[in-house]
Amino acid sequence: MCGITGWVDFAGLAPDARSVAEKMNDEHVHRGPDGYGIWISARAVIAHRRLSVIDIDHSAQPMLLPGDGPAPDAARLVLSYNGELYNYRELRAELAARGHRFRTAGDTEVVLAAWAAWGPRAVERFNGIFAFAVWDTTDETLWLVRDHLGVKPLHYHHRGERLVFGSEAKSLLAHPDVPVAIDEDGLRHLALPLLKFPGTSPYAGIAEVLPGTLLAFSRNGVRARRYWDAADLISRPPAPDDVATAAGELRALLADTVARQTLADVPLGTFLSGGLDSSAVTALAGRLPQRAGVASFSVDFTDAAGDPHSRSAQDRHHAREAAAFIGSDHHSIVLDSALLADRAVRDATVRARDLPNGFGDLDMSLLLLSRAVRGHVTVALSGEAADEILGGYAWFQDPSAVWAETFPWIADSPAHGHLHQRVLSTLHPGLLDRLDLGTYLRDAYATTLGRLGHDPALSKDERRHREIIHLAVTHFLPTLLDRKDRLSMANSLEVRVPFCDHRLVGHVITLSRAVHHAGGREKGVLREAVRDLLPASVVDRRKSPYPTSPDPDYARRLRDQLTTVLADPPPGLHDLFAPHVLDPARITGAARSHGLVSNFEGEVVLNFASWLRQYAPRLAP
């Protein structure tokens, strides 16, 4: 993967444009340590940092397509591309038959040639994960394009005749005309870390290109068009309730997707937690002749309590069992509490995400796991997204979450550990009154459901199941995809997500609730699809969340950090959190091992303290 950034200014570039571009591009060095490039014209800057995965010695970017006018050496198209195109070989053959003469062997030139041949409609032919910018010099239009599910990030800031873009917010914030500021809506988003609001960011003036969207910027302003929308698929009539057929089609699609996503000219492995999703991906990868004995990786923790019933201990057992059955070269990455609680690790985690929103030690452990995995491979496959598209979470079944008139994972229900309520309990009462989060959430919820159409023949249960699938895909999955991208790419590790293949998603989200829960189990159709690939104990295992550290020494270290932070808090912390949360005498209550995420209240405070110290944002008064 890579990092892209740049800007277009129809008023003309300032004299310091190159130095600004270098500063912005350097913010993405972690996304692209292997290559660097900047292209500048009178009104446009296109920059790129490269992580070499395919066609390692060539395919440098920005990549140019020469024009065919009186100045044939002048660029007609300029491309800065972040992603992997999994069907690039088929598209390359089709474009070669149309007369394109390829100079490289990678997918970047295929994207460029496809755009030259078919224009913006080219993206409708793409299978992959990508975020890219194309500057068309003939009509002076900048195109920003994001993949179907939004696996790869892409942000932009538009004001007047200028549009600044970048993979991560940090590259935009390095531009002198983009403020580091949080407005009132931004504060609402920070207070709701379990929700991703599509197309937005907490930073004032910084938006995201929506998943499945083309955005064009020209002298006529900004316009956007969706080329793929999950809501359109979910609104279709349901497929027949035939579990065997659905499972067979799912198996074929998943096998094809995994085969495509194992193409790489660098070492490749998989994340293997011992759960159904990652085990299925690993098993299918290991069946490929060129990937036999594929490297697999899981996270584990030191556990001073020695509890064999902890989530990490259970995952350890199932991961090893799955790896032995599959024949993968398995590595258990053990994280000790001292490293996990290191202030530098928290700062790096917050810096990777550009925001304090996080999932406690789950974020630090994913950063450290990715760092360790990068010591072995450059690319890893993950089981992310299976739960969202196949109804795998408890809040797809728990009535108190299912029938709540809100996003089910923030309902006051045990189905998601009451995490939303735990966040709200830490915030300053005055801030909560001002933000009126209840009204904001009700409006967002109603707007999201209002985008769905439904077959009138659907039962009440079936209709609600589809609504929750839609909510999960649009407002929950993006938080996990963003988390996985940022914390892996912070270590120059490319993570691919087979369950986000848009063909596979299109197949499974139209299946009925009965098929999703075949056999009375969550993700029942997936269990049937991969039953022959895995040991029965893994196939039939209940859904287990990503583990939190069970080591009580971690909670002690976190309490010590809170004591230090509260002795000299950064400006703004007292405006965000309730007085009792910042009371040094009550630190023990904020840092204790319990629930879905241990120490959660203390983690929230420490994340915000780190962010305020590193970014010094201007907060809405």
Side-chain angles (χ1 to χ4, degrees):
M1 290 299 166
C2 306
I4 69 173
T5 193
W7 74 95
V8 169
D9 192 336
F10 289 111
L13 300 183
D16 64 346
R18 178 168 288 276
S19 63
V20 171
E22 289 173 349
K23 183 179 179 182
M24 294 171 66
N25 213 21
D26 286 346
E27 292 291 346
H28 285 154
V29 65
H30 54 286
R31 298 189 73 90
D34 301 328
Y36 175 98
I38 297 176
W39 180 91
I40 297 183
S41 69
R43 284 174 285 278
V45 177
I46 308 295
H48 189 265
R49 298 277 336 195
R50 186 182 184 207
L51 175 66
S52 300
V53 172
I54 293 176
D55 193 28
I56 294 173
D57 296 328
H58 305 95
S59 298
Q61 296 186 55
M63 186 174 284
L64 313 182
L65 184 78
D68 53 7
D73 293 333
R76 172 190 161 197
L77 299 175
V78 184
L79 172 68
S80 187
Y81 166 69
N82 167 31
E84 299 293 347
L85 203 61
Y86 302 129
N87 64 336
Y88 80 96
R89 291 178 171 175
E90 299 97 311
L91 291 174
R92 179 189 175 96
E94 184 177 352
L95 290 161
R98 292 171 60 100
H100 185 87
R101 299 180 65 182
F102 284 91
R103 298 172 288 109
T104 66
D107 59 336
T108 302
E109 190 178 0
V110 172
V111 172
L112 188 61
W115 195 275
W118 301 306
R121 299 299 298 267
V123 71
E124 298 170 17
R125 299 170 177 253
F126 293 171
N127 178 294
I129 52 178
F130 47 81
F132 61 87
V134 176
W135 172 239
D136 190 328
T137 66
T138 58
D139 62 3
E140 293 198 315
T141 299
L142 174 71
W143 292 89
L144 301 179
V145 186
R146 198 168 180 210
D147 65 65
H148 304 74
L149 274 295
V151 177
K152 293 288 104 183
L154 185 52
H155 297 78
Y156 69 97
H157 169 85
H158 171 231
R159 184 175 182 182
E161 295 183 283
R162 183 192 302 117
L163 187 144
V164 186
F165 68 90
S167 295
E168 299 182 9
K170 59 175 63 67
S171 65
L172 280 74
L173 296 174
H175 191 285
D177 296 320
V178 180
V180 187
I182 305 292
D183 59 18
E184 198 157 90
D185 271 352
L187 288 174
R188 292 187 176 97
H189 294 180
L190 293 179
L192 299 166
L194 302 180
L195 283 173
K196 182 81 167 158
F197 294 90
T200 70
S201 94
Y203 288 105
I206 295 182
E208 286 186 331
V209 177
L210 283 167
T213 296
L214 296 137
L215 185 145
F217 175 59
S218 67
R219 293 183 184 274
N220 296 322
V222 174
R223 66 184 189 278
R225 175 176 70 83
R226 296 293 288 267
Y227 66 86
W228 189 89
D229 191 346
D232 294 337
L233 300 172
I234 295 173
S235 298
R236 292 178 181 176
D241 286 347
D242 184 338
V243 175
T245 299
E249 292 175 355
L250 173 55
R251 169 67 170 269
L253 278 168
L254 187 58
D256 179 71
T257 298
V258 169
R260 290 176 181 274
Q261 295 193 18
T262 55
L263 294 176
D265 296 333
V266 293
L268 176 146
T270 71
F271 286 106
L272 175 60
S273 69
L276 176 66
D277 314 330
S278 63
S279 298
V281 168
T282 303
L284 287 168
R287 281 199 159 196
L288 299 168
Q290 68 274 27
R291 295 297 177 189
V294 64
S296 60
F297 303 89
S298 62
V299 67
D300 201 354
F301 303 94
T302 54
D303 184 355
D307 181 5
H309 304 294
S310 69
R311 290 212 304 267
S312 59
Q314 293 174 40
D315 283 354
R316 180 190 317 138
H317 168 75
H318 287 290
R320 289 173 178 172
E321 187 176 20
F325 191 93
I326 294 165
S328 67
D329 177 17
H330 192 64
H331 306 259
S332 181
I333 308 300
V334 181
L335 305 178
D336 66 48
S337 61
L339 180 60
L340 196 61
D342 191 309
R343 174 174 166 172
V345 172
R346 183 180 301 278
D347 286 347
T349 301
V350 170
R351 181 71 183 172
R353 300 193 70 172
D354 285 320
L355 291 167
N357 291 7
F359 296 89
D361 69 294
L362 279 65
D363 281 6
M364 275 83 77
S365 68
L366 181 54
L367 180 89
L368 293 171
L369 171 63
S370 297
R371 184 180 297 174
V373 170
R374 184 61 174 89
H376 298 267
V377 301
T378 307
V379 176
L381 273 61
S382 168
E384 218 81 50
D387 288 305
E388 288 79 10
I389 64 175
L390 286 161
Y393 293 114
W395 36 267
F396 276 94
Q397 289 94 36
D398 189 313
S400 63
V402 169
W403 298 109
E405 294 183 0
T406 189
F407 300 92
W409 58 93
I410 68 169
D412 194 2
S413 161
H416 203 60
H418 301 282
L419 289 183
H420 172 65
Q421 290 69 32
R422 290 171 68 182
V423 173
L424 294 187
S425 72
T426 69
L427 300 179
H428 196 288
L431 179 66
L432 290 174
D433 289 343
R434 177 157 65 94
L435 297 182
D436 191 11
L437 294 177
T439 299
Y440 190 78
L441 281 170
R442 284 192 294 273
D443 290 346
Y445 177 71
T447 299
T448 304
L449 291 189
R451 298 189 62 242
L452 282 180
H454 283 296
D455 185 331
L458 290 178
S459 68
K460 180 182 177 182
D461 287 349
E462 192 67 41
R463 179 188 181 99
R464 185 55 179 166
H465 183 69
R466 288 193 169 212
E467 288 177 346
I468 297 179
I469 292 282
H470 179 58
L471 295 170
V473 168
T474 57
H475 287 72
F476 189 76
L477 176 59
T479 66
L480 301 186
L481 293 178
D482 185 72
R483 170 179 176 265
K484 182 63 70 78
D485 174 85
R486 300 304 191 86
L487 299 178
S488 59
M489 287 303 296
N491 297 285
S492 306
L493 175 71
E494 175 187 315
V495 175
R496 299 175 178 178
V497 278
F499 284 102
C500 281
D501 183 291
H502 70 279
R503 302 168 304 154
L504 188 151
V505 172
H507 168 61
V508 302
I509 62 178
T510 60
L511 298 176
S512 70
R513 182 177 183 276
V515 173
H516 281 168
H517 296 166
R521 299 293 308 279
E522 77 281 359
K523 294 182 292 190
V525 65
L526 177 60
R527 297 177 195 276
E528 292 307 311
V530 300
R531 185 168 294 278
D532 62 311
L533 299 177
L534 301 168
S537 60
V538 173
V539 172
D540 296 324
R541 185 186 178 193
R542 292 185 61 184
K543 166 69 181 174
S544 178
Y546 186 91
T548 189
S549 173
D551 193 340
D553 184 59
Y554 176 76
R556 180 188 63 77
R557 293 176 182 273
L558 189 142
R559 287 194 294 271
D560 291 344
Q561 286 187 40
L562 281 169
T563 300
T564 301
V565 165
L566 297 184
D568 184 23
L573 197 68
H574 281 282
D575 298 324
L576 296 171
F577 290 100
H580 74 271
V581 176
L582 304 182
D583 181 355
R586 303 179 69 170
I587 284 175
T588 301
R592 61 188 186 276
S593 297
H594 70 89
L596 185 65
V597 181
S598 296
N599 319 297
F600 194 58
E601 291 79 358
E603 302 277 13
V604 170
V605 173
L606 288 174
N607 278 3
F608 270 84
S610 173
W611 175 67
L612 290 169
R613 187 177 63 250
Q614 292 189 73
Y615 286 76
R618 186 175 75 250
L619 302 178

